[in-house]
Amino acid sequence: MKAATDLPPVGRHAGQPARRHLLSVADLGADGIEEVLRVTDSFVEVSGRAIPKVPALRGKTVVSLFFEDSTRTRLSFETAARRLSADVMTFSAASSSVNKGESLRDTVETIEAMGIDGVVVRHAGSGVPWQVARWLRQAAVINGGDGWHEHPTQALLDCYTITRMLAGAPAHEGGPGSLAGVRIAIVGDIRHSRVARSDVLAFSALGAHVTLVAPPTLLPPSLAGWPVEVSHDLDAVLPTLDVVYLLRLQQERMREALLPSLREYTATYGLTSTRARLLPDDALIMHPGPVNRGVEIAAEVADQPSSVITRQVANGVAVRMAVLYLLLGSGVDLAA
Amino acid sequence: MPPEPSRPDPALRRQRPATTSRQHTGVRRRPPTVLIHGGTLVDPTGTRPGDVLIQDGVIVSAGNRVESAPAGTVVLDAGGCVVAPGLVDLHTHLREPGREEAETVETGSRAAALGGYTAVVAMPNTEPAIDSAAVVRQVLELGRDALCDVAVAGSITVGREGTRLAPLAEMAALGVKLFTDDGSGVQDARLMRRALEYASSLGVTLAQHCEDSSLAAGGHMHEGEWSSRLGIPGQPAEAEELMVMRDLALCRLTGTPVHFLHLSTARSVAMVRGAKASGLPVTAEATPHHLCLTDACVAGYDTVFKVNPPLRSAEDAAAIRAGLADGTIDAIATDHAPHAKEAKEAPFDQAPPGMIGLETALGVALSELDLPIERVVALLSWKPAAIAGLAEHGRPITAGIPANLCVIDPEMEWTVDPARMASRSRNTPFAGRTLRGRVRHTVLAGEPVVVNGQAQR
C-alpha cells in the first residue's frame, strides 16, 4: 500500500478537466467505493501519527457550506481538510447573508468568486448539491448531506468501518473492499433518512444483503428499484445479522402522525438490551449519530463492545481525507 | 368616444356584460384591411382552402381566393399554413397585479399572441386576489391594450382563503364567466356546495384546482418511485382524485356545471369519463406538460420541473393523451405560471411551483399528440372558448365575425430557447426541445399582432 506521503504531486494541471464532484454514492459505483476505502487506509495511518498532517492539499481552499446545523459532519470535514493542509473556510447559514434574503445561487457564486477549490454542501433541502454543482464553474462539490436524499461520505465511512471490522471474520467472503454475503439491517426512520438512502446504495453495491426494518409509516412510499428486503419484525431479523444499523428517530415524527409515541417505537423497533442479546456474538452495532439514548438504542447497548459508533466517527475523518484528496488533489477521477 | 364600426351598438353592449378587456372599454385602434392569403381554413365547420379578407376588425369574406385587395391592404402569407380561429387559454397566470417581476399583462399577452392565442383567461391568484369588482375592473383595464383579449376569472372565496363566498354576482355582472380559487382547491365541501348552488343562477362556471390539501401537504412532487428515491416529499395522485370525486358528487347534487382544471392522473381522467357518460355537466382541461412530461424529469433537481399538480407517471401522461383523444378532456390549457429567475433558483422544496407555457403549447400539442391538426386546434381554440364563454373567439371563419385568428405552420421545426421568449420569465420545461408546428401570424380583432413569428408591438 502506498503511504500518503508518497502520493502523486498535487495541482490542477493545464488542460485537466477540473470538475469532479461527489454528489451521490451512485456516482462512484463499487469500484469507486473500493478506491476510496483503499485510499482511506493511507489516511488512517496518517491520523495515527504524532503530527497527523500531510501537505497533499497545500494551497487548496475548501469551504464548508452548511445551511443546516451539523457540528459533527462539519468538524469531520474541516479536520480532514486541515490534516491535508488545505485552507478551510466555514460558512454557516446563521452567520451569513442568507438571512438577509440572498438567494442560494447568489451565495454560492459569491463564495466561488473568493477563489475556492472544493465546497462541502449541507442543506435541509434534497438536491441542493446538484443545484450548486450546476451553478459553480470550477470548484468540486461534495455532498455533505442533502435533505432526506443522500449523505455519501457517511455511507463511505460506514462501508469502511464494516469492511475493516469484519476483515477476517468467518462471515466475510469477499476481499478487503467487499461486503459480499454480509447481512445488514437498517432499522428505523428510513423515509426521512439520507443516511439510509446512501447506505442502501453503497452496501448493496459492495454485495451486502440489506434488510430495512421499520414501521410502514417510516418507509418511503415506494421501494421500487431498491435492492432491499423489508421487515416489520426486528426480533426475527436480529439473529440473522452481521450488522445492525440504527437510525436516529426525530422527535417531530410524532406530530406528523407517523408514530403514536416514542415509547411504542422503542418497544417495537428499539434495540433494547433484551433485543441486543438476539444478535450473533460478533455482530456489529452501528449508528450515524447523534444517538437518542433510550429511544432507538438503549444506553448500555450503545456502550457495549460490539458497538462501533465511536469507531465510525474516527473513520469519518480518514474517509473524508480520502474523498478530498481524490477530488482535489490526485487528478484521479473518483467516478471512473 | 365614437363607437368603432365593428362594435355592437353601445346600448346593446350595456345589456350584455363585457367578457374581456377590449369589450369592457370599447377602445380599439382602427385596424388595417388584412388579407390572409393562400392558407387552409380550419374551424368548427371543417377544413377548406381559402383566403380571409378582414376590414375594420371583422371578416368580410372567407373561403374564396381573393385575387385583388384594396390598396394598402396588409397581406399575410399563409402558404402551407392552417388558418384557424385564435387560440384561447383557459388558464393563464398573468401575475398582475402584485407579481410584476414575474409577468405583466403586457408581457404575458405578448407571449400569448406569439403562441397563437387571441384570448386568455387570467387566473385570480394575484396579489390582491381577483375577488371583487374593483380588482376585476383593474385587470380588465390592464388588458385594454394587451396583445390578446384578457378575460378574467374571479375567485370563488374571499382572498382565495376558502372560508367565505366572494361576490360572484357582482363580478359576473362585469362579464366574469369562470370562477376558481386556482392555486388551491376549495377544501370545505359545504362551502363548495353553496358556491355551486349560488352560481347556478348566474350563468357562470366554477372551476376547481383539485387537491385535497391535507393529503397533499408538504409534497413538492408526485409521490412514487421517483420521490422516494430523490428524498423529496411527495403528494399522492389520490390528493387530486379525492377532490375530483367530491366535486363530481357536488355537481350531481347541485346540477351546476363544474370545470376541472389541469387534470393530471389516470384515475381523474377515468372518473371524468364516467361522469360525462352519466350525463353530468362537467368539462376538463389538461396542460401540455402533463401530457408529455413525467416525474422522472425531477431527477436532476431542476426546479423548472416543479409544478402543481406535479408531473406524474408515464401511465398518467398516457391517460391524459387518451383523454384528449376521446374527448373526455375538452381542452388544452397552459397553466402558464411565470416565476422570476431568483424565485426558481431556490432549493427544490422552497421553489414555487409553475411553468410557462403560452409560447410552446401549440408546438408541444402538435408534436406530442397523435391527433390531426383539426383536433388539436379544436382543443386549443373553440372548445376552450365555449367553456370560457368567449363569444368572439373560436368562431367559424365566416363573414361578419370578429377577426380573431391565428395562422399556423404545422411543419415548421423550431428549438425552444428560453432567452428568446416574450414572457418576462424563463421557466419553460421545454428548453432545448425541438418542436414541430409554430404560429406564423396572429390577428386580434383585425390587427396583425404577430407577423412572421414577430410580435408587432
Side-chain angles (χ1 to χ4, degrees), chain B residues 199-214:
Chain B
S200 65
S201 69
L202 301 174
V204 301
T205 299
L206 300 197
Q208 190 74 282
H209 167 124
C210 288
E211 177 183 331
D212 181 299
S213 64
S214 65

Side-chain angles (χ1 to χ4, degrees), chain B residues 12-221:
Chain B
L12 194 69
R13 199 155 70 227
R14 273 194 297 278
Q15 286 170 5
R16 187 170 61 85
T19 51
T20 67
S21 50
R22 230 154 25 85
Q23 290 166 285
H24 178 66
T25 60
V27 173
R28 291 300 302 161
R29 295 176 175 84
R30 188 184 175 87
T33 298
V34 176
L35 174 64
I36 302 175
H37 179 70
T40 301
L41 308 187
V42 170
D43 69 14
T45 66
T47 300
R48 63 217 176 269
D51 294 351
V52 183
L53 187 64
I54 302 159
Q55 284 177 341
D56 293 323
V58 177
I59 295 172
V60 293
S61 89
N64 302 315
R65 289 298 177 204
V66 176
E67 299 306 335
S68 64
T73 297
V74 175
V75 179
L76 300 178
D77 173 30
C81 290
V82 161
V83 181
L87 310 186
V88 173
D89 191 23
L90 285 168
H91 200 139
T92 305
H93 296 276
L94 290 175
R95 300 299 189 214
E96 198 173 1
R99 295 269 306 283
E100 290 83 357
E101 79 283 3
E103 195 79 285
T104 64
V105 172
E106 185 197 335
T107 58
S109 73
R110 187 171 295 122
L114 286 164
Y117 291 92
T118 52
V120 300
V121 180
M123 287 290 113
N125 62 336
T126 47
E127 295 165 15
I130 305 177
D131 65 352
S132 67
V135 188
V136 171
R137 281 199 197 91
Q138 182 188 355
V139 177
L140 288 175
E141 179 68 19
L142 287 166
R144 190 180 62 172
D145 293 325
L147 282 80
C148 67
D149 275 354
V150 177
V152 173
S155 65
I156 296 171
T157 68
V158 174
R160 296 174 49 252
E161 289 171 355
T163 51
R164 286 186 297 140
L165 276 186
L168 306 185
E170 181 181 292
M171 290 188 274
L174 292 172
V176 175
K177 300 281 193 190
L178 205 67
F179 290 89
T180 176
D181 277 4
D182 180 56
S184 48
V186 177
Q187 299 298 314
D188 185 314
R190 181 168 166 271
L191 178 63
M192 190 63 198
R193 175 196 180 174
R194 296 296 180 228
L196 286 164
E197 288 173 344
Y198 188 78
S200 65
S201 69
L202 301 174
V204 301
T205 299
L206 300 197
Q208 190 74 282
H209 167 124
C210 288
E211 177 183 331
D212 181 299
S213 64
S214 65
L215 197 55
H220 299 287
M221 67 176 293

Side-chain angles (χ1 to χ4, degrees), chain A residues 40-254:
Chain A
T40 300
D41 281 328
S42 314
F43 290 117
V44 166
E45 183 270 319
V46 169
S47 296
R49 295 180 193 169
I51 298 172
K53 195 154 179 164
V54 289
L57 295 187
R58 183 178 289 159
K60 300 278 180 181
T61 300
V62 175
V63 179
S64 57
L65 185 56
F66 276 54
F67 295 94
E68 183 187 60
D69 285 341
S70 167
T71 309
R72 49 179 62 216
T73 302
R74 183 172 61 76
L75 286 178
S76 181
F77 268 111
E78 292 180 356
T79 303
R82 290 199 176 94
R83 287 185 181 173
L84 294 168
S85 305
D87 295 317
V88 175
M89 292 199 289
T90 303
F91 175 103
S92 63
S95 60
S96 76
S97 51
V98 166
N99 290 337
K100 300 171 191 162
E102 187 178 57
S103 82
L104 178 62
R105 181 169 188 165
D106 285 344
T107 302
V108 166
E109 289 182 346
T110 301
I111 288 170
E112 185 171 47
M114 294 172 189
I116 58 169
D117 300 283
V119 191
V120 181
V121 180
R122 172 70 157 254
H123 200 289
S126 296
V128 166
W130 276 255
Q131 295 175 294
V132 171
R134 274 199 293 275
W135 294 332
L136 290 177
R137 289 177 190 84
Q138 296 288 332
V141 177
I142 298 169
N143 184 354
D146 66 313
W148 303 351
H149 182 221
E150 280 224 44
H151 194 354
T153 58
Q154 177 73 44
L156 291 167
L157 75 87
D158 290 336
C159 288
Y160 187 82
T161 304
I162 298 170
T163 55
R164 297 323 185 243
M165 291 300 292
L166 291 184
H172 197 225
E173 302 163 4
S178 170
L179 291 174
V182 176
R183 300 185 66 88
I184 305 174
I186 304 174
V187 183
D189 189 0
I190 315 289
R191 176 191 281 260
H192 304 96
S193 175
R194 52 184 163 231
V195 173
R197 283 180 178 77
S198 286
D199 272 347
V200 165
L201 289 172
F203 295 164
S204 58
L206 296 187
H209 180 277
V210 180
T211 304
L212 304 180
V213 184
T217 48
L218 295 183
L219 288 169
S222 166
L223 288 169
W226 291 44
V228 298
E229 278 184 32
V230 173
S231 169
H232 308 299
D233 186 350
L234 184 56
D235 288 351
V237 171
L238 286 172
T240 69
L241 296 177
D242 301 300
V243 177
V244 59
Y245 197 107
L246 303 152
L247 297 171
R248 176 177 170 82
L249 187 78
Q250 307 270 353
Q251 304 277 343
E252 73 212 40
R253 302 307 168 214
M254 264 56 69

